[in-house]
Amino acid sequence: AELNFNAGRKAMDLSDFETASSYLNNALPLLPKNHWRRHYDFSLRLLLLRAKTIYLRGTIEEACDSLMEIIKNGRCIEDKLDAYYLHVTILHACEEREEAYTICCEVLSQLKETIPDYVDMKDLTPMLQETGRMLARMSDADLLGMKETDNSSLRFTLKFYTLLCYISYYCITSNMLPFACCRMVRLTLEHGVCEDSILGLVSYCGFICHATKQASVIREMGRV
């Protein structure tokens, strides 16, 4: 099974998805029945890589089956995050946005984020204002000198907030988009920057620009 996995991974690196999926499919029946107990880490890696490969080939249902097996058998939320992330991405791409939205919120809740069922503008306004004050206290040097976070849980939290932003853009729950942006900005300012931080920063400034039509805010957006 491991030889097939390694061959499939090499084929995946070469973007040969047909060959990669063939090797990974060959690896599955070679696993013992109790592989989730005896070969837990390998099972996670194999099922995730298989899901990625067959998704890129357009076999959506099989990809989701592999991901659901990881979600069912994973021992903790940290071991399931990659599977959840790909699953939500697939659902969003297939325009199954209600289910994608629900799963995204559930995962964020498991990552210790408080996600409201409904975001009222009167509750959102103070959050936007406080986020603005936090940014205003940051100089250019402070922004440029922000350290990259090494907190993997925070990185995934921002990844799922990024997905939530994309999904919310197309959903009725439009106020969730600025809520998610505020959380991304505040988490970044409090704990450090990562690759998903920029979406939160730019989206927050973009929302404020649209709401206020103020030139000073547009300049702030450019500074961020």
Side-chain angles (χ1 to χ4, degrees):
E2 192 162 352
L3 288 173
N4 278 282
F5 172 80
N6 289 333
R9 184 171 56 186
K10 289 179 180 178
M12 183 73 164
D13 291 340
L14 296 171
S15 300
D16 185 352
F17 307 130
E18 184 76 30
T19 301
S21 62
S22 177
Y23 278 120
L24 297 170
N25 285 333
N26 289 340
L28 277 179
L30 298 175
L31 292 173
K33 290 184 178 180
N34 59 350
H35 64 92
W36 280 108
R37 182 171 59 84
R38 292 182 57 194
H39 306 286
Y40 177 75
D41 290 337
F42 180 71
S43 298
L44 287 174
R45 289 185 287 120
L46 173 59
L47 268 295
L48 182 63
L49 186 61
R50 178 178 183 268
K52 289 179 179 178
T53 303
I54 57 181
Y55 168 57
L56 291 169
R57 288 185 60 218
T59 316
I60 305 299
E61 188 173 342
E62 281 189 55
C64 289
D65 287 344
S66 286
L67 295 172
M68 291 309 298
E69 186 172 348
I70 294 172
I71 291 167
K72 176 183 176 181
N73 292 284
R75 294 173 183 170
C76 60
I77 183 61
E78 289 77 13
D79 290 346
K80 304 177 186 182
L81 288 173
D82 284 313
Y84 271 127
Y85 185 83
L86 182 54
H87 190 207
V88 172
T89 300
I90 292 172
L91 290 171
H92 178 49
C94 294
E95 299 187 359
E96 299 288 341
R97 295 193 178 99
E98 286 191 17
E99 186 178 356
Y101 180 87
T102 299
I103 295 173
C104 211
C105 291
E106 289 174 353
V107 172
L108 284 166
S109 295
Q110 292 185 67
L111 291 170
K112 312 303 181 186
E113 287 292 301
T114 301
I115 307 298
D117 294 329
Y118 175 75
V119 181
D120 193 286
M121 197 63 199
K122 68 179 182 181
D123 299 320
L124 183 61
T125 300
M127 188 177 187
L128 289 164
Q129 292 172 340
E130 176 57 27
T131 305
R133 286 191 288 268
M134 291 177 70
L135 279 171
R137 290 193 290 267
M138 300 283 289
S139 67
D140 290 349
D142 291 332
L143 287 169
L144 292 172
M146 288 180 63
K147 292 184 178 180
E148 186 174 355
T149 182
D150 58 358
N151 186 323
S152 60
S153 178
L154 176 66
R155 286 178 176 273
F156 267 109
T157 299
L158 291 178
K159 279 182 175 294
F160 278 95
Y161 268 128
T162 294
L163 283 177
L164 194 61
C165 285
Y166 293 147
I167 298 164
S168 298
Y169 181 80
Y170 294 96
C171 292
I172 299 173
T173 53
S174 57
N175 287 341
M176 183 57 76
L177 177 56
F179 170 86
C181 293
C182 283
R183 286 300 300 151
M184 292 175 76
V185 172
R186 296 180 73 166
L187 288 168
T188 295
L189 296 181
E190 291 169 1
H191 302 289
V193 69
C194 69
E195 60 271 17
D196 286 282
S197 296
I198 188 64
L199 176 73
L201 289 162
V202 172
S203 298
Y204 167 80
C205 292
F207 180 81
I208 297 298
C209 288
H210 176 75
T212 65
K213 307 294 191 296
Q214 294 179 5
S216 60
V217 179
I218 296 173
R219 286 194 297 271
E220 180 67 13
M221 180 180 178
R223 184 171 78 92
V224 171

